[in-house]
Amino acid sequence: MEHKLAELKTRLLEVDDLQYAGAVLYWDQATYMPPAGASARGRQLGTLTRLAHEKFTDAAIGKLLDDLRAYGEGLPYDSDDASLIRVTRRQYERAVKVPATFMAEMSQHFNTTYTAWTEARPANDFNRVRPLLEQTLDLSRQLADFFPGYDHIADPLVDNQDYGMKAADIRRIFAELRAELVPLVKAITAKPLTDDSCLRAFYPEDQQKAFGEMVIKRYGYDFERGRQDKTHHPFMIRFGPGDIRITTRFNEHDLGDGLFSTLHECGHALYEMGIDQGLAGTPLATGTSAGVHESQSRLWENIVGRSRGFWEHFYPALQQTFPDQLNRVSVDTFYRAINKVQPSLIRVDADEVTYNLHVMLRFDLELEMLEGKLDIRDLPEAWHQRYMDDLGVTAPSDKDGVLQDVHWYTFNIGGAFQGYTLGNILSGLYYSAALQAHPSIPAEIAQGKFDTLHTWLKTNIYTHGSKLSASELTERVTGGQLRIGPYIQYLKTKYGELYGIQ
Ligand code: ZN
């Protein structure tokens, strides 16, 4: 058995190498590659995707997993080897249903679409990506159909990102959350609008970058194992246990953009950096689901990075970095500005209270497209209509409408967005569990100390990588399944205080 396990690991390591080599090419494309490199890069990524898929779905891996099954079941459930055999089997059974040529076709198509999107968005030209998006929808349906027997066509796509969840589960959770959020948004928007003009002075990019990097070092981001570069739509990416990178973008007329995007991606990176390095080179060495991943980015960005205690500590340093812009602005004014609630057009800039409404409408549109109830040519209009209905705002253009998010232009339609809201809910749930274990955490944050929180997250969440599913992890960490209570309580307490609402 030891011999077979070693062979399995050797084969998985090759798959891992191909995948992460592809990740480097993707990162380069999204950061420094000259535009004319796009078509060759698309082909190269398609080839690597196909090779990795072929290697992973090799019948020899299936045979090894069969031979190792009983051995794995005899080991403790969360031991490295039992988890490796169990999780690899689940992924293998899924992967063999999709032909390698289809994976390559999809990868190349996403690449072409991404390049078109980087040009279509600034030009506000939806028609430029429309035929490509029609193909994306077609490919997304085909992908789902490799998994017959679903209740809803989105189920296999949702399951791929948030294992164990179906469209119906997400709808139920979102409806519960919406019932709490809508009255909260209403109560807040009845109050006078917060003045956040202090964020809109001129903030030179270099100083923004330096300040953000100083903060994430304090969070525990290890620059010996990572770096930060600029991109269109920020992301975190892993190439191996010693190379976990983040990207950001800056707006010299909006301090919040770059800073909170840096804190967000750092949260994703802390998760990846905290995974037990003994799992490296296996499918276990990455975060367990889109939702759990997002819980970490949102926790470090919002629950920590937008808290009063955090700014009581860091605001003097920010004032020193930007004396002309902030010396006459009190910490209280600044804290209110970065937590201003106002229904708006752009998801990534949305406040914590309205943010989930942006996600929910995208999720609903995905389902309608997959169900064949919404044509791509009607998507821009449907988008504007939902923004009007749900948030009471209309984008002047598609640039800030349907073209704003990269997701549908670099991924399938279906499963792309629900993880953001699941992540918010989980961030509240996990943070409340951390506070129960260590009530001193808020006081430590107010001193610029993050060790207790970071260590708790590492020990309870990060170290496991993908050994435990999101649902198993949540059960262990919080003693129950995903539930909205602690997250809603967090929002009500924080914003009740900020806006004087009971
Ligand atoms: Zn994120």
Side-chain angles (χ1 to χ4, degrees), residues 234 264-265 268 293-294 297-298 420:
H264 180 101
E265 299 310 330
H268 283 299
H293 234 301
E294 200 63 15
S297 55
R298 301 290 285 176
Y420 290 107

Side-chain angles (χ1 to χ4, degrees), residues 258-417:
L259 177 60
F260 290 108
S261 147
T262 296
L263 302 189
H264 180 101
E265 299 310 330
C266 171
H268 283 299
L270 292 180
Y271 187 2
E272 293 286 328
M273 283 178 166
I275 294 171
D276 176 0
Q277 296 204 19
L279 304 175
T282 76
L284 302 178
T286 188
T288 191
S289 74
V292 176
H293 234 301
E294 200 63 15
S295 76
Q296 295 314 301
S297 55
R298 301 290 285 176
L299 189 152
W300 289 104
E301 175 195 355
N302 291 332
I303 296 183
V304 178
R306 288 183 207 261
S307 68
R308 193 184 287 271
F310 177 96
W311 286 106
E312 273 162 18
H313 179 78
F314 281 106
Y315 193 61
L318 188 70
Q319 282 180 312
Q320 255 173 30
T321 311
F322 300 110
D324 295 343
Q325 300 90 327
L326 292 174
N327 268 358
R328 282 178 304 276
V329 178
S330 70
V331 63
D332 190 61
T333 302
F334 181 79
Y335 171 67
R336 285 172 186 280
I338 58 167
N339 288 297
K340 175 187 182 181
V341 176
Q342 183 180 26
S344 64
L345 295 168
I346 309 290
R347 175 184 62 87
V348 294
D349 300 337
D351 59 82
E352 286 182 275
V353 183
T354 59
Y355 182 92
N356 295 298
L357 299 175
H358 293 253
V359 175
M360 289 175 190
L361 73 87
R362 283 159 176 74
F363 180 74
D364 290 343
L365 291 173
E366 284 195 313
L367 297 193
E368 286 173 36
M369 284 188 275
L370 288 164
E371 288 164 3
K373 288 181 186 156
L374 173 61
D375 283 344
I376 297 290
R377 66 161 184 275
D378 300 325
L379 179 62
E381 198 37 52
W383 181 285
H384 291 312
Q385 191 57 51
R386 277 299 298 262
Y387 263 82
M388 202 57 217
D389 294 348
D390 291 19
L391 289 143
V393 293
T394 338
S397 65
D398 292 331
K399 180 176 184 282
D400 293 329
V402 70
L403 288 170
Q404 71 175 263
D405 283 313
V406 67
H407 304 61
W408 292 335
Y409 308 99
T410 190
F411 189 70
N412 47 259
I413 291 173
F417 286 102

Side-chain angles (χ1 to χ4, degrees), residues 21 48 50 74 134 159 201 245 256-257 307 384 408-409 418 456:
L48 283 173
R50 179 175 53 77
E134 280 164 356
D159 184 85
R245 302 189 190 185
D257 266 16
S307 68
H384 291 312
W408 292 335
Y409 308 99
Q418 79 286 328
W456 185 89

Side-chain angles (χ1 to χ4, degrees), residues 83-210:
S83 304
L84 178 70
I85 296 164
R86 183 180 67 249
V87 174
T88 306
R89 171 161 214 103
R90 190 173 83 212
Q91 295 184 359
Y92 176 81
E93 282 171 357
R94 188 185 161 91
V96 291
K97 295 191 170 122
V98 187
T101 48
F102 181 84
M103 292 295 292
E105 187 196 341
M106 215 166 50
S107 156
Q108 201 158 347
H109 170 73
F110 291 159
N111 215 275
T112 310
T113 312
Y114 172 75
T115 306
W117 172 78
T118 58
E119 292 157 8
R121 186 175 185 230
N124 187 32
D125 184 4
F126 180 72
N127 278 331
R128 176 157 195 167
V129 287
R130 190 174 57 94
L132 292 165
L133 208 54
E134 280 164 356
Q135 276 182 57
T136 303
L137 181 56
D138 197 43
L139 288 167
S140 306
R141 285 214 188 92
Q142 287 181 48
L143 179 60
D145 283 333
F146 288 120
F147 305 87
Y150 49 70
D151 297 334
H152 189 284
I153 185 166
D155 286 354
L157 308 173
V158 169
D159 184 85
N160 191 36
Q161 297 301 304
D162 288 288
Y163 168 69
M165 304 217 84
K166 292 181 171 190
D169 302 321
I170 310 284
R171 274 182 164 148
R172 180 182 50 77
I173 296 161
F174 282 12
E176 244 179 82
L177 188 62
R178 178 185 283 273
E180 296 280 355
L181 288 176
V182 169
L184 184 59
V185 173
K186 226 178 180 167
I188 293 173
T189 48
K191 299 275 175 178
L193 200 60
T194 307
D195 176 9
D196 65 346
S197 55
C198 62
L199 302 174
R200 315 251 182 269
F202 179 70
Y203 290 98
E205 181 177 317
D206 288 350
Q207 280 114 292
Q208 286 194 45
K209 182 167 187 280

